[in-house]
PDB file of all heavy atoms in Angstrom:
ATOM      1  N   ASP A 176     108.295 125.948 121.782  1.00  0.00           N
ATOM      2  CA  ASP A 176     108.555 124.536 121.614  1.00  0.00           C
ATOM      3  C   ASP A 176     110.071 124.388 121.482  1.00  0.00           C
ATOM      4  O   ASP A 176     110.654 124.751 120.464  1.00  0.00           O
ATOM      5  CB  ASP A 176     107.839 124.047 120.341  1.00  0.00           C
ATOM      6  CG  ASP A 176     108.161 122.601 119.990  1.00  0.00           C
ATOM      7  OD1 ASP A 176     109.215 122.098 120.417  1.00  0.00           O
ATOM      8  OD2 ASP A 176     107.371 121.979 119.264  1.00  0.00           O
ATOM      9  N   ALA A 177     110.691 123.873 122.551  1.00  0.00           N
ATOM     10  CA  ALA A 177     112.156 123.785 122.575  1.00  0.00           C
ATOM     11  C   ALA A 177     112.635 122.351 122.371  1.00  0.00           C
ATOM     12  O   ALA A 177     113.767 122.012 122.712  1.00  0.00           O
ATOM     13  CB  ALA A 177     112.688 124.346 123.890  1.00  0.00           C
ATOM     14  N   VAL A 178     111.774 121.521 121.800  1.00  0.00           N
ATOM     15  CA  VAL A 178     112.082 120.098 121.661  1.00  0.00           C
ATOM     16  C   VAL A 178     113.407 119.876 120.921  1.00  0.00           C
ATOM     17  O   VAL A 178     114.219 119.049 121.319  1.00  0.00           O
ATOM     18  CB  VAL A 178     110.918 119.354 120.954  1.00  0.00           C
ATOM     19  CG1 VAL A 178     111.322 117.932 120.591  1.00  0.00           C
ATOM     20  CG2 VAL A 178     109.679 119.352 121.829  1.00  0.00           C
ATOM     21  N   GLN A 179     113.632 120.629 119.842  1.00  0.00           N
ATOM     22  CA  GLN A 179     114.866 120.432 119.067  1.00  0.00           C
ATOM     23  C   GLN A 179     116.053 121.173 119.672  1.00  0.00           C
ATOM     24  O   GLN A 179     117.205 120.822 119.403  1.00  0.00           O
ATOM     25  CB  GLN A 179     114.678 120.905 117.625  1.00  0.00           C
ATOM     26  CG  GLN A 179     113.723 120.059 116.807  1.00  0.00           C
ATOM     27  CD  GLN A 179     114.270 118.679 116.459  1.00  0.00           C
ATOM     28  OE1 GLN A 179     115.471 118.448 116.410  1.00  0.00           O
ATOM     29  NE2 GLN A 179     113.363 117.754 116.217  1.00  0.00           N
ATOM     30  N   ALA A 180     115.790 122.201 120.421  1.00  0.00           N
ATOM     31  CA  ALA A 180     116.879 123.059 120.900  1.00  0.00           C
ATOM     32  C   ALA A 180     117.618 122.458 122.102  1.00  0.00           C
ATOM     33  O   ALA A 180     118.827 122.644 122.247  1.00  0.00           O
ATOM     34  CB  ALA A 180     116.329 124.436 121.269  1.00  0.00           C
ATOM     35  N   ILE A 181     116.872 121.737 122.932  1.00  0.00           N
ATOM     36  CA  ILE A 181     117.461 121.211 124.164  1.00  0.00           C
ATOM     37  C   ILE A 181     118.708 120.379 123.866  1.00  0.00           C
ATOM     38  O   ILE A 181     118.712 119.560 122.962  1.00  0.00           O
ATOM     39  CB  ILE A 181     116.422 120.350 124.918  1.00  0.00           C
ATOM     40  CG1 ILE A 181     115.392 121.243 125.590  1.00  0.00           C
ATOM     41  CG2 ILE A 181     117.071 119.449 125.953  1.00  0.00           C
ATOM     42  CD1 ILE A 181     115.912 122.046 126.749  1.00  0.00           C
ATOM     43  N   GLY A 182     119.748 120.648 124.625  1.00  0.00           N
ATOM     44  CA  GLY A 182     120.992 119.908 124.459  1.00  0.00           C
ATOM     45  C   GLY A 182     121.921 120.538 123.444  1.00  0.00           C
ATOM     46  O   GLY A 182     123.106 120.228 123.401  1.00  0.00           O
ATOM     47  N   GLN A 183     121.377 121.429 122.595  1.00  0.00           N
ATOM     48  CA  GLN A 183     122.231 122.085 121.598  1.00  0.00           C
ATOM     49  C   GLN A 183     122.394 123.573 121.882  1.00  0.00           C
ATOM     50  O   GLN A 183     123.274 124.223 121.316  1.00  0.00           O
ATOM     51  CB  GLN A 183     121.664 121.896 120.188  1.00  0.00           C
ATOM     52  CG  GLN A 183     121.620 120.428 119.776  1.00  0.00           C
ATOM     53  CD  GLN A 183     121.373 120.255 118.283  1.00  0.00           C
ATOM     54  OE1 GLN A 183     122.019 120.875 117.461  1.00  0.00           O
ATOM     55  NE2 GLN A 183     120.429 119.415 117.951  1.00  0.00           N
ATOM     56  N   VAL A 184     121.518 124.107 122.704  1.00  0.00           N
ATOM     57  CA  VAL A 184     121.668 125.496 123.142  1.00  0.00           C
ATOM     58  C   VAL A 184     121.437 125.530 124.654  1.00  0.00           C
ATOM     59  O   VAL A 184     120.830 124.610 125.204  1.00  0.00           O
ATOM     60  CB  VAL A 184     120.650 126.447 122.455  1.00  0.00           C
ATOM     61  CG1 VAL A 184     120.816 126.464 120.951  1.00  0.00           C
ATOM     62  CG2 VAL A 184     119.232 126.058 122.806  1.00  0.00           C
ATOM     63  N   ARG A 185     121.945 126.584 125.294  1.00  0.00           N
ATOM     64  CA  ARG A 185     121.678 126.732 126.729  1.00  0.00           C
ATOM     65  C   ARG A 185     120.421 127.569 126.896  1.00  0.00           C
ATOM     66  O   ARG A 185     120.246 128.581 126.223  1.00  0.00           O
ATOM     67  CB  ARG A 185     122.858 127.403 127.421  1.00  0.00           C
ATOM     68  CG  ARG A 185     124.070 126.485 127.536  1.00  0.00           C
ATOM     69  CD  ARG A 185     125.003 126.987 128.621  1.00  0.00           C
ATOM     70  NE  ARG A 185     126.267 126.277 128.617  1.00  0.00           N
ATOM     71  CZ  ARG A 185     126.457 125.117 129.275  1.00  0.00           C
ATOM     72  NH1 ARG A 185     125.475 124.576 129.980  1.00  0.00           N
ATOM     73  NH2 ARG A 185     127.629 124.520 129.228  1.00  0.00           N
ATOM     74  N   ILE A 186     119.559 127.122 127.775  1.00  0.00           N
ATOM     75  CA  ILE A 186     118.270 127.784 127.953  1.00  0.00           C
ATOM     76  C   ILE A 186     118.134 128.287 129.387  1.00  0.00           C
ATOM     77  O   ILE A 186     118.497 127.595 130.332  1.00  0.00           O
ATOM     78  CB  ILE A 186     117.121 126.798 127.616  1.00  0.00           C
ATOM     79  CG1 ILE A 186     117.200 126.427 126.122  1.00  0.00           C
ATOM     80  CG2 ILE A 186     115.761 127.405 127.960  1.00  0.00           C
ATOM     81  CD1 ILE A 186     116.143 125.457 125.659  1.00  0.00           C
ATOM     82  N   ASP A 187     117.635 129.512 129.511  1.00  0.00           N
ATOM     83  CA  ASP A 187     117.332 130.061 130.827  1.00  0.00           C
ATOM     84  C   ASP A 187     115.978 130.751 130.721  1.00  0.00           C
ATOM     85  O   ASP A 187     115.870 131.852 130.183  1.00  0.00           O
ATOM     86  CB  ASP A 187     118.424 131.052 131.250  1.00  0.00           C
ATOM     87  CG  ASP A 187     118.204 131.533 132.682  1.00  0.00           C
ATOM     88  OD1 ASP A 187     117.039 131.797 133.045  1.00  0.00           O
ATOM     89  OD2 ASP A 187     119.193 131.649 133.431  1.00  0.00           O
ATOM     90  N   VAL A 188     114.958 130.088 131.204  1.00  0.00           N
ATOM     91  CA  VAL A 188     113.586 130.573 130.989  1.00  0.00           C
ATOM     92  C   VAL A 188     113.339 131.945 131.623  1.00  0.00           C
ATOM     93  O   VAL A 188     112.541 132.722 131.095  1.00  0.00           O
ATOM     94  CB  VAL A 188     112.522 129.560 131.494  1.00  0.00           C
ATOM     95  CG1 VAL A 188     112.474 128.346 130.592  1.00  0.00           C
ATOM     96  CG2 VAL A 188     112.767 129.162 132.938  1.00  0.00           C
ATOM     97  N   LYS A 189     114.032 132.238 132.728  1.00  0.00           N
ATOM     98  CA  LYS A 189     113.789 133.538 133.384  1.00  0.00           C
ATOM     99  C   LYS A 189     114.441 134.644 132.559  1.00  0.00           C
ATOM    100  O   LYS A 189     113.824 135.650 132.246  1.00  0.00           O
ATOM    101  CB  LYS A 189     114.367 133.540 134.801  1.00  0.00           C
ATOM    102  CG  LYS A 189     113.857 132.423 135.682  1.00  0.00           C
ATOM    103  CD  LYS A 189     112.367 132.526 136.001  1.00  0.00           C
ATOM    104  CE  LYS A 189     111.907 131.237 136.673  1.00  0.00           C
ATOM    105  NZ  LYS A 189     110.495 131.006 136.733  1.00  0.00           N
ATOM    106  N   GLU A 190     115.706 134.412 132.219  1.00  0.00           N
ATOM    107  CA  GLU A 190     116.434 135.426 131.467  1.00  0.00           C
ATOM    108  C   GLU A 190     115.809 135.654 130.094  1.00  0.00           C
ATOM    109  O   GLU A 190     115.847 136.763 129.547  1.00  0.00           O
ATOM    110  CB  GLU A 190     117.887 134.950 131.316  1.00  0.00           C
ATOM    111  CG  GLU A 190     118.833 136.016 130.843  1.00  0.00           C
ATOM    112  CD  GLU A 190     120.096 135.381 130.286  1.00  0.00           C
ATOM    113  OE1 GLU A 190     120.796 134.710 131.064  1.00  0.00           O
ATOM    114  OE2 GLU A 190     120.340 135.542 129.076  1.00  0.00           O
ATOM    115  N   GLN A 191     115.231 134.610 129.532  1.00  0.00           N
ATOM    116  CA  GLN A 191     114.662 134.713 128.183  1.00  0.00           C
ATOM    117  C   GLN A 191     113.163 135.024 128.183  1.00  0.00           C
ATOM    118  O   GLN A 191     112.535 135.005 127.133  1.00  0.00           O
ATOM    119  CB  GLN A 191     114.952 133.416 127.411  1.00  0.00           C
ATOM    120  CG  GLN A 191     116.447 133.213 127.175  1.00  0.00           C
ATOM    121  CD  GLN A 191     116.770 131.847 126.603  1.00  0.00           C
ATOM    122  OE1 GLN A 191     116.435 130.817 127.176  1.00  0.00           O
ATOM    123  NE2 GLN A 191     117.422 131.835 125.463  1.00  0.00           N
ATOM    124  N   ASN A 192     112.626 135.300 129.363  1.00  0.00           N
ATOM    125  CA  ASN A 192     111.205 135.684 129.480  1.00  0.00           C
ATOM    126  C   ASN A 192     110.260 134.660 128.868  1.00  0.00           C
ATOM    127  O   ASN A 192     109.311 135.012 128.165  1.00  0.00           O
ATOM    128  CB  ASN A 192     110.954 137.042 128.807  1.00  0.00           C
ATOM    129  CG  ASN A 192     111.803 138.136 129.430  1.00  0.00           C
ATOM    130  OD1 ASN A 192     111.769 138.323 130.636  1.00  0.00           O
ATOM    131  ND2 ASN A 192     112.587 138.819 128.607  1.00  0.00           N
ATOM    132  N   ILE A 193     110.538 133.400 129.132  1.00  0.00           N
ATOM    133  CA  ILE A 193     109.674 132.337 128.599  1.00  0.00           C
ATOM    134  C   ILE A 193     108.640 131.949 129.670  1.00  0.00           C
ATOM    135  O   ILE A 193     108.992 131.699 130.817  1.00  0.00           O
ATOM    136  CB  ILE A 193     110.521 131.101 128.212  1.00  0.00           C
ATOM    137  CG1 ILE A 193     111.528 131.474 127.113  1.00  0.00           C
ATOM    138  CG2 ILE A 193     109.632 129.945 127.773  1.00  0.00           C
ATOM    139  CD1 ILE A 193     112.615 130.438 126.877  1.00  0.00           C
ATOM    140  N   ASP A 194     107.379 131.906 129.270  1.00  0.00           N
ATOM    141  CA  ASP A 194     106.306 131.567 130.214  1.00  0.00           C
ATOM    142  C   ASP A 194     105.986 130.074 130.195  1.00  0.00           C
ATOM    143  O   ASP A 194     105.519 129.520 131.184  1.00  0.00           O
ATOM    144  CB  ASP A 194     105.026 132.336 129.864  1.00  0.00           C
ATOM    145  CG  ASP A 194     105.205 133.832 130.067  1.00  0.00           C
ATOM    146  OD1 ASP A 194     105.695 134.224 131.142  1.00  0.00           O
ATOM    147  OD2 ASP A 194     104.885 134.602 129.139  1.00  0.00           O
ATOM    148  N   ALA A 195     106.168 129.451 129.049  1.00  0.00           N
ATOM    149  CA  ALA A 195     105.891 128.020 128.928  1.00  0.00           C
ATOM    150  C   ALA A 195     106.843 127.440 127.883  1.00  0.00           C
ATOM    151  O   ALA A 195     107.120 128.097 126.869  1.00  0.00           O
ATOM    152  CB  ALA A 195     104.445 127.782 128.519  1.00  0.00           C
ATOM    153  N   LEU A 196     107.343 126.232 128.145  1.00  0.00           N
ATOM    154  CA  LEU A 196     108.346 125.646 127.248  1.00  0.00           C
ATOM    155  C   LEU A 196     108.152 124.137 127.192  1.00  0.00           C
ATOM    156  O   LEU A 196     107.986 123.486 128.224  1.00  0.00           O
ATOM    157  CB  LEU A 196     109.744 126.009 127.767  1.00  0.00           C
ATOM    158  CG  LEU A 196     110.955 125.435 127.041  1.00  0.00           C
ATOM    159  CD1 LEU A 196     112.080 126.467 126.993  1.00  0.00           C
ATOM    160  CD2 LEU A 196     111.478 124.181 127.741  1.00  0.00           C
ATOM    161  N   SER A 197     108.172 123.606 125.966  1.00  0.00           N
ATOM    162  CA  SER A 197     107.958 122.163 125.779  1.00  0.00           C
ATOM    163  C   SER A 197     109.261 121.420 125.502  1.00  0.00           C
ATOM    164  O   SER A 197     110.125 121.916 124.783  1.00  0.00           O
ATOM    165  CB  SER A 197     107.044 121.904 124.574  1.00  0.00           C
ATOM    166  OG  SER A 197     105.886 122.678 124.626  1.00  0.00           O
ATOM    167  N   LEU A 198     109.330 120.227 126.047  1.00  0.00           N
ATOM    168  CA  LEU A 198     110.489 119.334 125.856  1.00  0.00           C
ATOM    169  C   LEU A 198     110.001 117.934 125.534  1.00  0.00           C
ATOM    170  O   LEU A 198     108.887 117.585 125.873  1.00  0.00           O
ATOM    171  CB  LEU A 198     111.230 119.153 127.182  1.00  0.00           C
ATOM    172  CG  LEU A 198     111.963 120.239 127.861  1.00  0.00           C
ATOM    173  CD1 LEU A 198     112.715 119.608 129.024  1.00  0.00           C
ATOM    174  CD2 LEU A 198     112.921 120.812 126.881  1.00  0.00           C
ATOM    175  N   SER A 199     110.886 117.127 124.946  1.00  0.00           N
ATOM    176  CA  SER A 199     110.557 115.727 124.698  1.00  0.00           C
ATOM    177  C   SER A 199     111.764 114.858 125.041  1.00  0.00           C
ATOM    178  O   SER A 199     112.899 115.237 124.776  1.00  0.00           O
ATOM    179  CB  SER A 199     110.181 115.550 123.229  1.00  0.00           C
ATOM    180  OG  SER A 199     110.056 114.179 122.935  1.00  0.00           O
ATOM    181  N   GLY A 200     111.508 113.685 125.610  1.00  0.00           N
ATOM    182  CA  GLY A 200     112.609 112.814 126.015  1.00  0.00           C
ATOM    183  C   GLY A 200     113.363 112.187 124.851  1.00  0.00           C
ATOM    184  O   GLY A 200     114.595 112.126 124.836  1.00  0.00           O
ATOM    185  N   HIS A 201     112.623 111.738 123.828  1.00  0.00           N
ATOM    186  CA  HIS A 201     113.266 110.892 122.815  1.00  0.00           C
ATOM    187  C   HIS A 201     114.102 111.679 121.802  1.00  0.00           C
ATOM    188  O   HIS A 201     114.771 111.074 120.961  1.00  0.00           O
ATOM    189  CB  HIS A 201     112.239 109.999 122.116  1.00  0.00           C
ATOM    190  CG  HIS A 201     111.332 110.679 121.143  1.00  0.00           C
ATOM    191  ND1 HIS A 201     111.548 110.639 119.791  1.00  0.00           N
ATOM    192  CD2 HIS A 201     110.215 111.407 121.321  1.00  0.00           C
ATOM    193  CE1 HIS A 201     110.570 111.302 119.180  1.00  0.00           C
ATOM    194  NE2 HIS A 201     109.759 111.788 120.094  1.00  0.00           N
ATOM    195  N   LYS A 202     114.094 112.995 121.866  1.00  0.00           N
ATOM    196  CA  LYS A 202     114.959 113.766 120.982  1.00  0.00           C
ATOM    197  C   LYS A 202     116.319 114.024 121.634  1.00  0.00           C
ATOM    198  O   LYS A 202     117.211 114.578 121.009  1.00  0.00           O
ATOM    199  CB  LYS A 202     114.296 115.108 120.623  1.00  0.00           C
ATOM    200  CG  LYS A 202     112.898 115.001 119.989  1.00  0.00           C
ATOM    201  CD  LYS A 202     112.954 114.540 118.545  1.00  0.00           C
ATOM    202  CE  LYS A 202     111.579 114.308 117.937  1.00  0.00           C
ATOM    203  NZ  LYS A 202     110.854 115.488 117.534  1.00  0.00           N
ATOM    204  N   ILE A 203     116.427 113.671 122.927  1.00  0.00           N
ATOM    205  CA  ILE A 203     117.690 113.906 123.643  1.00  0.00           C
ATOM    206  C   ILE A 203     118.228 112.609 124.268  1.00  0.00           C
ATOM    207  O   ILE A 203     118.749 112.612 125.370  1.00  0.00           O
ATOM    208  CB  ILE A 203     117.560 115.021 124.712  1.00  0.00           C
ATOM    209  CG1 ILE A 203     116.421 114.724 125.707  1.00  0.00           C
ATOM    210  CG2 ILE A 203     117.347 116.387 124.054  1.00  0.00           C
ATOM    211  CD1 ILE A 203     116.439 115.641 126.949  1.00  0.00           C
TER     212      ILE A 203
END
Side-chain angles (χ1 to χ4, degrees):
D176 174 337
V178 170
Q179 292 289 336
I181 285 290
Q183 297 193 49
V184 299
R185 288 200 189 274
I186 296 179
D187 186 319
V188 289
K189 304 294 170 196
E190 193 199 298
Q191 295 171 303
N192 301 306
I193 299 167
D194 294 311
L196 176 143
S197 310
L198 293 188
S199 171
H201 74 100
K202 304 285 175 78
I203 55 168

